[in-house]
Amino acid sequence: MNGLLVGAIFGAVFVIVNAQSPLNAVTITLLRAVACVAATSVIAMWFAIARRGRPTGREQRNMFSRGYLIIVLAEAILLFGGLRVLAAWQAPEQANVAWVALVVGVHFIALAPVWRTWGIAVPGVILTLLGTAGLALAPTPAIAWVPFISGVLSGAVLLTGSVTFGWRAATTGNPMRMGESREAASHR
């Protein structure tokens, strides 16, 4: 659930920061409100599950393994280094959100085998594609849509995944991680 909580918060930030023109004011307000409600629901589910306590009799995996730390370090280098490169190339500011979406997407794809949680590769691929689309649109007349495509839609993907899997964990008590098979869950 901690990963879902982080995903929901970052998803809400993606939507709130990037819901802007060329969208109309009503759409912007609605998108921001829905993002806040979705993130709040994941926070509520997180607390509900935390109150139940940790399940006993199951081995807990270390999610912060060496592989995880290497991926997060590479992500930070790519993220901040890429933003510096974009600035040096005098890329439009809108390209930054596209770069962030691309790097976050690749980070999920890289984490899937490390965590043996293949379901996180799905939002990873989607965010990577949305980031790539935004970078492709940045030098075109459609640049105004980059924050929506790479930011709002990426945030929606993160929020949808967090709410869906959080709800499943909160309502069924199912300890399965995103994309993990029932067989794999039973062997933990």
Side-chain angles (χ1 to χ4, degrees):
M1 280 299 292
N2 289 343
L4 297 179
L5 182 63
V6 170
I9 291 168
F10 278 105
V13 169
F14 260 111
V15 173
I16 291 166
V17 169
N18 293 295
Q20 55 187 301
S21 180
L23 303 173
N24 65 47
V26 172
T27 303
I28 291 169
T29 302
L30 182 63
L31 286 169
R32 288 176 176 166
V34 169
C36 289
V37 168
T40 302
S41 70
V42 173
I43 292 167
M45 288 183 268
W46 185 86
F47 278 111
I49 291 170
R51 289 187 64 163
R52 287 189 213 155
R54 293 185 184 262
T56 57
R58 292 192 197 119
E59 180 184 327
Q60 297 292 317
R61 272 193 305 184
N62 178 13
M63 300 305 284
F64 304 107
S65 66
R66 182 176 177 206
Y68 168 83
L69 296 173
I70 290 169
I71 289 168
V72 170
L73 177 62
E75 177 186 26
I77 291 168
L78 284 171
L79 184 64
F80 294 109
L83 292 174
R84 298 284 303 219
V85 168
L86 288 171
W89 287 345
Q90 298 178 348
E93 187 177 313
Q94 293 90 332
N96 291 347
V97 70
W99 179 251
V100 171
L102 183 129
V103 172
V104 171
V106 170
H107 136 272
F108 282 133
I109 295 167
L111 278 177
V114 170
W115 283 349
R116 294 180 306 244
T117 307
W118 300 104
I120 65 171
V122 174
V125 168
I126 296 169
L127 265 65
T128 300
L129 292 172
L130 292 169
T132 302
L135 286 172
L137 289 175
T140 73
I143 189 170
W145 287 98
V146 172
F148 178 77
I149 292 168
S150 296
V152 172
L153 294 180
S154 291
V157 168
L158 292 173
L159 286 165
T160 301
S162 296
V163 169
T164 300
F165 291 101
W167 180 257
R168 182 168 64 180
T171 59
T172 66
N174 187 340
M176 288 183 2
R177 289 179 178 81
M178 296 188 324
E180 185 177 42
S181 69
R182 293 187 190 280
E183 182 180 319
S186 68
H187 287 95
R188 279 192 291 118

